[in-house]
Amino acid sequence: MSGQLKNEVNNSSEPTLKKFAEIKNKHIGIATQSYYVNDAQYASVLTREFDILTPEYQMKMGQVQPQQGVFDFGEADKLVSFARKNNMLIRGHALIWHQSLPDWVVNGHFTKEQWIQIMKDHITKTVSHFKGEIYAWDVVNEAFYQNGAFRPTVWYDNIGPEYIDLAFQFAHEADPNAKLFYNDFDTEVTNPRSNAIYKMVTGMKARGVPIDGIGFQTHLKIEGVDYSEMKKNLKRFGDLGLDTDITEMDIVTHTFAGTQEERLQAQAKVYSGVIQVAMSLPSCKSVVFWGLKDGNSWLNKYTGFSEYPLLFDNNYDKKPAYEATLNQLKL
Ligand code: 9MR
């Protein structure tokens, strides 16, 4: 057998996350950037293991509409063609958010009608540009505070709470086949924020607003995760007929006392528990991790610690968290 052929056979028989996820009719993905996928080793691990890609930054408004009416989809298009070439689904992220906005929005003074038009133009142009390429969009991201109050944002302050219904309607008009999600963090268990989302989405469904799912970001730390509470909480959304996907999972390690090895083992247990919940719920159709390898994680900068939140280390070696995830997918 030639070396190359041997390699292919080895590769094809290697257990991978996506092979086992597929057997369960689930998808498994990574948030990434166009400049990461240029690295051959990165790209080979990404495409070997995962079948969904979420642009970590490059579909946000600050990137795609830097000036009013001037759209730049260049970097996002690179990710779309990478995904298409490698048979990966794409989650679009995120149309309406309070962060990563262009200056003309942050500093803008417009009437309410103009703000609605700005939102409509942004959503319509962006969703239409990627029509047919993106299977699910995070339409509105992080609209609530932890206490369940609406977060005051440029959209909320200038349009009012109806900006959420409008955003979903505009997205649906632009691509009726895309699944439309509301996405937020610290919502994994029942708490004031997830209750506020539950109330919002119940109202949206009653009003006929086109919403298909809730994205549970699942930025966790090792301590204090209650899996049965998580299951109960996701299930109540699933019972409304919504998808309940895990959209940005990572697990901070520096807060956990112990050696590095103990931290990584404890982290693996949390991965295992969460993936078990996700696999047990028919409404949970995909799990996306917020980066491929530890060095890529936003948490390094955000926490100020060298962080180890993901499934692969910086040499692309599989961490205990990877093995724990794979083992849950195999069950
Ligand atoms: O990980 C993302 C980081 O690279 C960006 O600089 C930042 C601002 O756009 O957004 C980070 O991703 C966030 C995601 O879009 C929404 N949920 C919280 C994520 C971490 O901050």
Side-chain angles (χ1 to χ4, degrees), residues 33 56-57 60 93 97 99-100 141-142 217 219 248 290 298:
Q33 312 260 19
E56 184 174 356
Y57 177 76
K60 291 172 182 169
H93 175 85
W97 193 28
Q99 282 185 40
S100 300
N141 196 36
E142 302 174 4
Q217 292 184 11
H219 295 292
E248 306 187 10
W290 209 239
W298 68 290

Short mmCIF file of all heavy atoms in Angstrom, two decimals, residues 33 56-57 60 93 97 99-100 141-142 217 219 248 290 298, ligand 1:
data_model
loop_
_atom_site.label_atom_id
_atom_site.label_comp_id
_atom_site.label_asym_id
_atom_site.label_seq_id
_atom_site.Cartn_x
_atom_site.Cartn_y
_atom_site.Cartn_z
N GLN A 33 -12.04 32.05 12.14
CA GLN A 33 -11.77 33.28 11.41
C GLN A 33 -11.12 32.89 10.09
O GLN A 33 -10.42 31.87 10.02
CB GLN A 33 -10.77 34.15 12.19
CG GLN A 33 -11.09 34.33 13.66
CD GLN A 33 -11.76 35.66 13.97
OE1 GLN A 33 -12.31 36.33 13.09
NE2 GLN A 33 -11.73 36.04 15.23
N GLU A 56 -16.39 33.77 13.91
CA GLU A 56 -16.30 34.29 15.28
C GLU A 56 -16.48 35.81 15.30
O GLU A 56 -16.97 36.37 16.28
CB GLU A 56 -14.93 33.91 15.88
CG GLU A 56 -14.78 34.32 17.32
CD GLU A 56 -13.49 33.83 17.95
OE1 GLU A 56 -12.72 33.08 17.29
OE2 GLU A 56 -13.22 34.20 19.10
N TYR A 57 -16.10 36.47 14.22
CA TYR A 57 -16.20 37.93 14.17
C TYR A 57 -16.68 38.44 12.81
O TYR A 57 -17.36 39.46 12.72
CB TYR A 57 -14.82 38.54 14.47
CG TYR A 57 -14.84 40.05 14.36
CD1 TYR A 57 -15.41 40.83 15.36
CD2 TYR A 57 -14.33 40.69 13.23
CE1 TYR A 57 -15.47 42.20 15.25
CE2 TYR A 57 -14.39 42.07 13.11
CZ TYR A 57 -14.96 42.81 14.12
OH TYR A 57 -15.03 44.17 14.00
N LYS A 60 -20.05 40.15 11.73
CA LYS A 60 -20.64 41.18 12.61
C LYS A 60 -20.72 42.51 11.88
O LYS A 60 -19.96 42.77 10.93
CB LYS A 60 -19.83 41.27 13.90
CG LYS A 60 -19.98 40.02 14.76
CD LYS A 60 -19.05 39.99 15.96
CE LYS A 60 -19.23 38.68 16.74
NZ LYS A 60 -18.19 38.48 17.76
N HIS A 93 -23.43 34.60 12.27
CA HIS A 93 -23.34 35.20 13.61
C HIS A 93 -22.74 36.59 13.48
O HIS A 93 -21.64 36.70 12.94
CB HIS A 93 -22.45 34.30 14.49
CG HIS A 93 -22.17 34.84 15.84
ND1 HIS A 93 -23.02 34.68 16.89
CD2 HIS A 93 -21.12 35.58 16.32
CE1 HIS A 93 -22.51 35.25 17.97
NE2 HIS A 93 -21.36 35.81 17.65
N TRP A 97 -26.60 43.05 17.41
CA TRP A 97 -25.90 42.92 18.68
C TRP A 97 -25.54 44.32 19.15
O TRP A 97 -25.57 45.27 18.35
CB TRP A 97 -24.64 42.04 18.47
CG TRP A 97 -23.95 41.55 19.70
CD1 TRP A 97 -24.51 41.31 20.92
CD2 TRP A 97 -22.56 41.21 19.82
NE1 TRP A 97 -23.56 40.83 21.79
CE2 TRP A 97 -22.35 40.77 21.14
CE3 TRP A 97 -21.47 41.23 18.94
CZ2 TRP A 97 -21.11 40.35 21.62
CZ3 TRP A 97 -20.23 40.82 19.41
CH2 TRP A 97 -20.04 40.37 20.72
N GLN A 99 -22.50 44.90 20.45
CA GLN A 99 -21.04 45.04 20.33
C GLN A 99 -20.62 44.90 18.87
O GLN A 99 -21.39 44.46 18.03
CB GLN A 99 -20.33 43.95 21.14
CG GLN A 99 -20.30 44.23 22.62
CD GLN A 99 -19.48 43.16 23.35
OE1 GLN A 99 -18.44 42.72 22.87
NE2 GLN A 99 -19.97 42.74 24.50
N SER A 100 -19.35 45.24 18.62
CA SER A 100 -18.80 45.14 17.26
C SER A 100 -19.66 45.90 16.26
O SER A 100 -19.93 45.41 15.15
CB SER A 100 -18.62 43.68 16.84
OG SER A 100 -17.72 43.04 17.74
N ASN A 141 -28.63 38.94 19.35
CA ASN A 141 -27.67 38.38 20.30
C ASN A 141 -27.69 39.21 21.59
O ASN A 141 -27.57 40.44 21.53
CB ASN A 141 -26.28 38.46 19.64
CG ASN A 141 -25.23 37.61 20.30
OD1 ASN A 141 -25.51 36.51 20.76
ND2 ASN A 141 -24.00 38.10 20.32
N GLU A 142 -27.86 38.55 22.72
CA GLU A 142 -27.62 39.15 24.05
C GLU A 142 -28.48 40.38 24.33
O GLU A 142 -27.96 41.44 24.70
CB GLU A 142 -26.12 39.45 24.19
CG GLU A 142 -25.27 38.20 24.01
CD GLU A 142 -23.76 38.46 24.00
OE1 GLU A 142 -23.34 39.61 24.20
OE2 GLU A 142 -23.01 37.50 23.78
N GLN A 217 -25.27 29.91 24.62
CA GLN A 217 -23.85 30.08 24.32
C GLN A 217 -22.99 29.08 25.09
O GLN A 217 -22.04 28.52 24.58
CB GLN A 217 -23.42 31.52 24.62
CG GLN A 217 -24.05 32.52 23.65
CD GLN A 217 -23.56 33.94 23.87
OE1 GLN A 217 -22.60 34.20 24.60
NE2 GLN A 217 -24.23 34.89 23.23
N HIS A 219 -20.87 29.49 27.79
CA HIS A 219 -19.55 29.89 28.29
C HIS A 219 -19.57 29.55 29.78
O HIS A 219 -20.22 30.24 30.57
CB HIS A 219 -19.31 31.38 28.09
CG HIS A 219 -19.25 31.78 26.64
ND1 HIS A 219 -18.21 31.40 25.82
CD2 HIS A 219 -20.09 32.51 25.87
CE1 HIS A 219 -18.41 31.90 24.60
NE2 HIS A 219 -19.55 32.57 24.61
N GLU A 248 -21.72 28.38 21.61
CA GLU A 248 -20.40 29.03 21.81
C GLU A 248 -19.65 28.37 22.98
O GLU A 248 -19.01 29.05 23.78
CB GLU A 248 -20.57 30.52 22.12
CG GLU A 248 -21.37 31.30 21.11
CD GLU A 248 -21.39 32.82 21.35
OE1 GLU A 248 -20.63 33.32 22.20
OE2 GLU A 248 -22.18 33.48 20.67
N TRP A 290 -16.34 27.46 20.99
CA TRP A 290 -15.96 28.83 20.61
C TRP A 290 -14.45 28.93 20.37
O TRP A 290 -13.73 29.70 21.01
CB TRP A 290 -16.46 29.83 21.66
CG TRP A 290 -16.73 31.18 21.05
CD1 TRP A 290 -16.15 32.37 21.41
CD2 TRP A 290 -17.65 31.50 19.99
NE1 TRP A 290 -16.64 33.39 20.61
CE2 TRP A 290 -17.56 32.88 19.74
CE3 TRP A 290 -18.54 30.73 19.21
CZ2 TRP A 290 -18.34 33.52 18.75
CZ3 TRP A 290 -19.31 31.37 18.22
CH2 TRP A 290 -19.19 32.74 18.02
N TRP A 298 -10.92 33.67 22.96
CA TRP A 298 -11.15 35.04 23.42
C TRP A 298 -10.87 35.16 24.92
O TRP A 298 -10.57 36.23 25.43
CB TRP A 298 -12.61 35.44 23.15
CG TRP A 298 -13.62 34.69 24.00
CD1 TRP A 298 -13.95 33.37 23.89
CD2 TRP A 298 -14.40 35.21 25.08
NE1 TRP A 298 -14.90 33.03 24.83
CE2 TRP A 298 -15.20 34.14 25.58
CE3 TRP A 298 -14.53 36.47 25.67
CZ2 TRP A 298 -16.09 34.31 26.64
CZ3 TRP A 298 -15.42 36.62 26.73
CH2 TRP A 298 -16.18 35.54 27.21
O1 9MR B 1 -14.75 35.62 20.44
C1 9MR B 1 -15.17 36.84 19.87
C2 9MR B 1 -14.01 37.81 19.84
O2 9MR B 1 -13.01 37.33 18.96
C3 9MR B 1 -14.52 39.18 19.35
O3 9MR B 1 -13.47 40.12 19.45
C4 9MR B 1 -15.68 39.63 20.25
C5 9MR B 1 -16.26 40.95 19.75
O4 9MR B 1 -16.76 40.84 18.47
O5 9MR B 1 -16.71 38.66 20.23
C6 9MR B 1 -16.31 37.40 20.70
O6 9MR B 1 -17.39 36.50 20.60
C7 9MR B 1 -18.53 36.77 21.40
C8 9MR B 1 -19.74 36.35 20.61
O7 9MR B 1 -19.77 37.02 19.38
C9 9MR B 1 -21.02 36.60 21.39
N1 9MR B 1 -20.97 35.95 22.68
C10 9MR B 1 -19.80 36.24 23.50
C11 9MR B 1 -18.53 35.94 22.69
C12 9MR B 1 -17.29 36.18 23.55
O8 9MR B 1 -17.17 37.53 23.87
#
